[in-house]
Amino acid sequence: MRGADLLVQTLAQAGVTRIFALSGNQIMPIFDACLEAGIELIHTRHEGATVFMAEAYAQLTGQVGVALVTAGGGLANSVGALASARASDTPVLLLSGDSPRGQDGTGAFQEMDQVAITQAVTKWSFRSQDASGLGSDAARAIDSAMTGQPGPVHLALPFDVVKGEADGAVPVVEPAEEAVDPADVEAVRVLVTKTARPLVLLGPSLTPTRQAGLVERLGAVLGAPVYAMESPRGVRDPSLGRMAEVVARADLVLCLGKRVDFTLGFGAGEAEWVTVSADAVDHALAAGNLGARHRAGVVAPALSMARALCEGAAPAREEWRAEAAALTGVRPDVGDGLTSATLCAAVQDVVSACDESVVICDGGEFGQWAQALTCGTARVINGVSGAIGGGLPYAMAAHVARPGAVVFALSGDGSIGFHFAEFETAARHGLPFVMVIGNDQRWNAEHQIQLRDYGEERLSGCGLTAARYDLAAEAMGAHGEFVTEAAELRPALERAVARGRPAGVNVMIEGLPAPVV
């Protein structure tokens, strides 16, 4: 068999049923091999979209998300989205075509040191050396992506390697349940039990979307408020209300897979902190930011520790948990008119009528209103990286991952421009979702910075136009809606859902600054 066949059969054995891809010269043997293996290729319009789709798919299924791109500009185009998956602790396997090993150092077509480019934004990056090793390379990549602190990995595939003759059997890929030392579990439990106001913060790999019910189980067993954090706004995330006050009130903060970084004010306050992560770098980060207040750093998989902590009991601390719930339950006022706030509130009314839903929140000021005011059965947001523009690929992947759910995505008119051409991908593959575009005719986050820091007379370069995104979506095969009045909004959203197709709902709004609770 070819190296490409060994690679693809290994992926199939590991449970991979679809790959998000954009074609190119060096990866056509892999396209061909997918036909025999029965792996579906979802063919996008930009390499960044393939990785964003793989990221959302992995978060919504619990499986590794696989993206396939070509060499040169193809690999380079994927790196921004790869950084997003790294920050969100999402298991993504990026496969990239590469120039032939036999032509190394000759100035071959699209020859570059791909590993040097991707290693800063992956857990593991490797260039395959021979066709017969592609199976074990893929198995190692999947294991690295899924175990420990989850995250993206990259496997570069030289053209002569994927075309070469491969010997050997397809390896079995079975990531094992990761054990945690019972002594470590007991030590963490004792630290939590002995404090009056403990607070548990979960990293992005432990959100309710990715680990359903974990927040509730941990809270009940530990007798502590438990919150999952996945936004770059951190303690100022409007979907977490007055979280900064809860952190300030706590006397012990337990971080399970959550980094003590800028999102937590670098550990500001008086509390002691305990960190649990499989990545020793996270503990070094905490120690540097916290000093003597870093009570302990346990090198262990956060999910395994969380599951182990769910067995046992601790003081109920009902008063402290109620206080935290009241603070984090605060939401911004919606107000009147057709604004960022009222648009998101109207979307939530429609979402609430669905039995199963996935809500996608892209970045920017409008995205913060979406995070604060919308909530579905599951949620995918732009994540700790703060990258914007992934909303449309996330929406496509959400339908692939959960075909029974109604998918709503919310994006500003700035963010939607990054991957707008993927409306054509969605129409071609039959992937329905409702993309709600809050059109305030500007890059509002930067507009607000200019207003705040420099004054209205120095606004510059952040304006956009009243572009008809609805008509552009229709031209690509989607359903379009154009809304200029509040009374038109609910019917437009309901029509978009009823069409059962990709839909772009272009809503002209008054853009508001991100909510401050």
Side-chain angles (χ1 to χ4, degrees):
M1 71 175 83
R2 297 167 297 181
D5 298 303
L6 178 57
L7 170 72
V8 169
Q9 289 177 29
T10 302
L11 297 177
Q13 190 279 327
V16 174
T17 58
R18 52 183 54 91
I19 294 174
F20 307 100
L22 206 164
S23 56
N25 295 9
Q26 301 93 336
I27 57 175
M28 298 320 295
I30 300 172
F31 269 53
D32 185 67
C34 285
L35 293 173
E36 297 299 325
I39 291 179
E40 177 188 13
L41 292 172
I42 297 179
H43 201 181
T44 68
R45 303 299 298 265
H46 190 281
E47 288 85 3
T50 69
V51 179
F52 279 131
M53 290 188 76
E55 181 186 14
Y57 181 83
Q59 291 188 22
L60 290 165
T61 63
Q63 303 167 10
V64 65
V66 182
L68 173 63
V69 303
T70 194
L75 180 278
N77 280 343
S78 69
V79 173
L82 206 59
S84 177
R86 183 65 168 135
S88 65
D89 294 336
T90 304
V92 167
L93 168 57
L94 174 64
L95 302 170
S96 68
D98 197 357
S99 56
R101 287 192 71 236
Q103 295 178 7
D104 284 356
T106 67
F109 176 57
Q110 296 185 328
E111 181 181 0
M112 61 168 63
D113 187 349
Q114 293 191 10
V115 171
I117 293 172
T118 61
Q119 62 186 358
V121 288
T122 58
K123 287 184 64 179
W124 180 73
S125 185
F126 182 72
R127 188 185 192 215
S128 290
Q129 302 299 301
D130 63 83
S132 296
L134 280 175
S136 58
D137 292 345
R140 180 181 176 188
I142 293 171
D143 182 72
S144 178
M146 296 290 289
T147 58
Q149 191 84 345
V153 296
H154 167 226
L155 192 59
L157 306 169
F159 190 45
D160 51 359
V161 171
V162 297
K163 289 198 308 176
E165 186 68 21
D167 298 321
V170 175
V172 176
V173 185
E174 292 180 338
E177 176 73 19
E178 297 177 275
V180 59
D181 189 334
D184 287 337
V185 177
E186 184 60 23
V188 171
R189 191 190 309 280
V190 168
L191 286 171
V192 173
T193 301
K194 288 186 175 180
T195 56
R197 296 185 304 279
L199 171 65
V200 181
L201 302 179
L202 309 181
S205 66
L206 302 182
T207 64
T209 293
R210 297 165 72 171
Q211 297 296 332
L214 181 61
V215 167
E216 293 77 13
R217 293 196 304 274
L218 271 176
V221 170
L222 295 179
V226 180
Y227 299 96
M229 303 184 73
E230 57 179 337
S231 166
R233 302 275 173 137
V235 295
R236 294 180 292 111
D237 178 356
S239 69
L240 293 177
R242 292 158 61 181
M243 171 60 80
E245 295 180 43
V246 178
V247 175
R249 289 274 295 138
D251 53 10
L252 178 77
V253 181
L254 170 60
C255 289
L256 296 175
K258 177 72 187 93
R259 297 175 181 91
V260 184
D261 57 13
F262 72 100
T263 62
L264 294 174
F266 305 102
E270 303 299 324
E272 292 188 322
W273 296 62
V274 176
T275 54
V276 178
S277 171
D279 191 343
V281 173
D282 291 348
H283 303 298
L285 186 72
N289 287 329
L290 295 165
R293 291 188 297 115
H294 187 219
R295 180 69 179 271
V298 180
V299 180
L303 177 58
S304 297
M305 175 64 77
R307 286 173 171 167
L309 288 171
C310 284
E311 305 296 329
R317 302 188 189 89
E318 293 179 2
E319 184 175 339
W320 165 232
R321 293 179 68 192
E323 178 185 351
L327 288 169
T328 56
V330 176
R331 292 294 179 270
D333 293 332
V334 173
D336 301 313
L338 192 51
T339 68
S340 305
T342 58
L343 171 54
C344 293
V347 171
Q348 182 58 39
D349 287 343
V350 179
V351 171
S352 298
C354 300
D355 292 334
E356 182 183 4
S357 59
V358 179
V359 171
I360 310 295
C361 302
D362 213 331
E365 302 298 274
F366 180 69
Q368 298 308 309
W369 285 102
Q371 288 182 41
L373 299 177
T374 63
C375 180
T377 307
R379 181 179 84 156
V380 179
I381 72 168
N382 65 315
V384 180
S385 74
I388 63 174
L392 208 161
Y394 287 164
M396 293 192 295
H399 175 75
V400 176
R402 300 195 180 185
V406 181
V407 180
F408 298 86
L410 297 97
S411 174
D413 53 332
S415 297
I416 195 61
F418 281 77
H419 291 290
F420 197 89
E422 301 303 338
F423 267 114
E424 189 277 334
T425 303
R428 177 165 28 93
H429 282 280
L431 307 177
F433 55 83
V434 178
M435 169 58 74
V436 182
I437 304 165
N439 190 346
D440 58 14
Q441 302 178 62
R442 59 184 180 241
W443 293 98
N444 197 30
E446 291 71 25
H447 175 86
Q448 297 298 331
I449 291 172
Q450 289 181 335
L451 280 176
R452 183 181 66 245
D453 294 352
Y454 310 119
E456 188 171 2
E457 70 283 356
R458 297 189 66 82
L459 292 173
S460 174
C462 295
L464 296 171
T465 67
R468 290 295 302 270
Y469 300 106
D470 52 305
L471 296 179
E474 286 181 354
M476 293 184 175
H479 173 74
E481 294 279 352
F482 184 51
V483 178
T484 60
E485 301 290 338
E488 303 168 354
L489 182 54
R490 179 69 179 260
L493 292 170
E494 290 176 342
R495 285 194 298 270
V497 172
R499 290 294 186 272
R501 298 162 51 197
V505 183
N506 182 19
V507 187
M508 305 305 296
I509 61 171
E510 175 191 351
L512 301 176
V516 177
V517 180

